[in-house]
Amino acid sequence: MSASSRCSRTRSVPRILKDDRSLDDAARQLDQYFSGSLQEFSLPLDLRLSTEFRRQVQLELGHIAYGRTQSYAQVAEHIGKPKAVPAVGSACATNPLPIVLPCHRVLRTDGSLGGYLGGLDVKTQLLKLENPEFDGGEATLF
């Protein structure tokens, strides 16, 4: 970890801890998402600790519509790096905001789940929350 990364993290944590209301809107929107009444988050995001490539991928994740999926290859295409499919998977795996920037909506090209830091059961439940027709990972991309 570089000195600048450590310094950024050190500055970020006290800002959050000093204003305990700073996460109220995020908590409210997450509650609404899990209750099925919110389909798109509107939160200020700070992705400064992500590399440029990972930031591109993570921001692209926010463009995948609720209840829809894309393949890792499609995400790579959308960011203009069609050969970077494994790197897209890595960026999804290190996504610091996995519900807000919905990496669970990214599947393998064959429609199977791929991976998910929270586990494949969680990925399946998130996809079923958004699209009850999702059949657990052997589906066609929708």
Side-chain angles (χ1 to χ4, degrees):
M1 177 184 325
S2 71
S4 64
S5 293
R6 283 191 300 273
C7 185
S8 293
R9 289 180 186 174
T10 303
R11 286 192 308 255
S12 297
V13 173
R15 281 195 325 245
I16 293 169
L17 295 177
K18 286 180 185 176
D19 183 5
D20 59 357
R21 294 170 300 167
S22 65
L23 298 176
D24 288 353
D25 195 33
R28 181 184 54 75
Q29 288 187 44
L30 285 166
D31 284 344
Q32 290 173 335
Y33 169 81
F34 285 112
S35 73
S37 64
L38 181 85
Q39 295 186 358
E40 189 174 321
F41 291 91
S42 59
L43 296 167
L45 304 177
D46 182 354
L47 298 174
R48 288 178 291 176
L49 297 178
S50 294
T51 65
E52 179 61 31
F53 176 81
R54 288 183 179 189
R55 189 171 26 257
Q56 283 181 306
V57 171
Q58 291 157 356
L59 291 173
E60 182 62 33
L61 297 173
H63 296 295
I64 304 171
Y66 182 93
R68 308 289 298 173
T69 60
Q70 289 184 7
S71 69
Y72 294 100
Q74 287 173 312
V75 173
E77 275 288 331
H78 290 166
I79 64 166
K81 303 212 178 358
K83 295 182 180 181
V85 176
V88 166
S90 177
C92 288
T94 59
N95 178 0
L97 301 164
I99 304 293
V100 176
L101 297 173
C103 51
H104 62 277
R105 296 178 188 159
V106 184
L107 305 177
R108 291 183 175 154
T109 301
D110 66 2
S112 63
L113 291 175
Y116 191 68
L117 185 62
L120 296 183
D121 289 341
V122 171
K123 185 171 186 170
T124 300
Q125 291 307 309
L126 291 169
L127 291 167
K128 285 183 178 183
L129 170 72
E130 295 183 11
N131 182 344
E133 303 295 315
F134 182 73
D135 75 355
E138 300 305 320
T140 308
L141 293 170
F142 51 90

